């Protein structure tokens, strides 16, 4: 697995190799629609059975778990699509610059997120002050 995921779901531990989309959705916690979206975006490449059904192996489901974790952290599909496939490269095969680029992008995102949080905290404080003034004004008016 590329990224640590908090606990392996019981259904994933018992997963046999190669499952249909409904089982993959259940094992990964992603909806079938999300799995199709990840495929459309080039984030995963499930196998195909002779009848055309998608066939998800354990490594693809591990990738889905990593993708969900990264998306949940706020990273863009673009960044994940560009860098995720190369993060699993073996050392010495050009992976170190990719990892450094990925980590730099994640750090920049974290800085932007921190700045947004600071703005939101300022706005919340302003709303709190407004509400406090409104409440105190009602008390002074006797309402």
């Amino acid at each position: 697995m590329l990224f640590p995921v908090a606990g392996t779901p019981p259904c994933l531990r018992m997963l046999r190799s190669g499952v249909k989309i409904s089982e993959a959705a259940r094992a990964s916690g992603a909806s079938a629609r999300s799995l199709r979206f990840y495929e459309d975006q080039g984030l995963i490449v499930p196998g195909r059975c002779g009848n055309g059904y998608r066939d998800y192996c354990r490594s693809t489901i591990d990738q889905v778990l990593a993708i969900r974790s990264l998306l949940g952290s706020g990273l863009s599909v673009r960044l994940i699509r560009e860098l995720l496939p190369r993060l699993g490269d073996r050392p010495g095969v050009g992976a170190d610059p990719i990892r450094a680029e990925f980590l730099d992008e994640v750090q920049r995102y974290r800085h932007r997120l921190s700045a947004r949080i600071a703005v939101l905290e300022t706005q919340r404080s302003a709303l709190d002050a407004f509400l406090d003034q409104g409440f105190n004004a009602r008390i002074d008016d006797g309402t």
Side-chain angles (χ1 to χ4, degrees):
M1 187 178 313
L2 297 173
F3 300 96
V5 177
T8 303
C11 54
L12 187 55
R13 278 186 247 130
M14 299 168 51
L15 186 68
R16 64 181 195 275
S17 64
V19 296
K20 292 181 183 173
I21 196 167
S22 60
E23 292 176 79
R26 194 170 27 261
S28 66
S31 67
R33 183 177 179 171
S34 292
L35 294 174
R36 288 185 198 99
F37 174 76
Y38 299 161
E39 182 181 0
D40 290 344
Q41 294 299 308
L43 299 174
I44 60 172
V45 182
R48 292 285 178 164
C49 297
N51 59 7
Y53 288 172
R54 289 169 178 86
D55 186 40
Y56 293 85
C57 64
R58 172 69 188 257
S59 64
T60 301
I61 293 173
D62 285 344
Q63 233 180 339
V64 170
L65 292 170
I67 290 164
R68 292 189 67 213
S69 177
L70 292 169
L71 288 171
S73 298
L75 296 180
S76 69
V77 168
R78 176 202 57 83
L79 178 64
I80 296 168
R81 180 180 48 245
E82 290 176 8
L83 299 175
L84 184 64
R86 297 181 278 173
L87 288 174
D89 292 344
R90 295 176 184 220
V93 189
D96 289 339
I98 300 303
R99 283 190 180 97
E101 178 184 348
F102 180 77
L103 293 175
D104 287 346
E105 183 73 25
V106 170
Q107 188 65 35
R108 284 191 296 274
Y109 176 77
R110 187 180 185 288
H111 288 309
R112 289 190 306 269
L113 185 60
S114 293
R116 284 180 27 211
I117 289 170
V119 167
L120 289 171
E121 286 176 343
T122 300
Q123 290 174 337
R124 181 179 58 197
S125 293
L127 285 173
D128 288 345
F130 173 78
L131 291 171
D132 286 345
Q133 288 176 348
F135 181 71
N136 290 334
R138 282 186 178 174
I139 292 173
D140 292 342
D141 291 343
T143 55

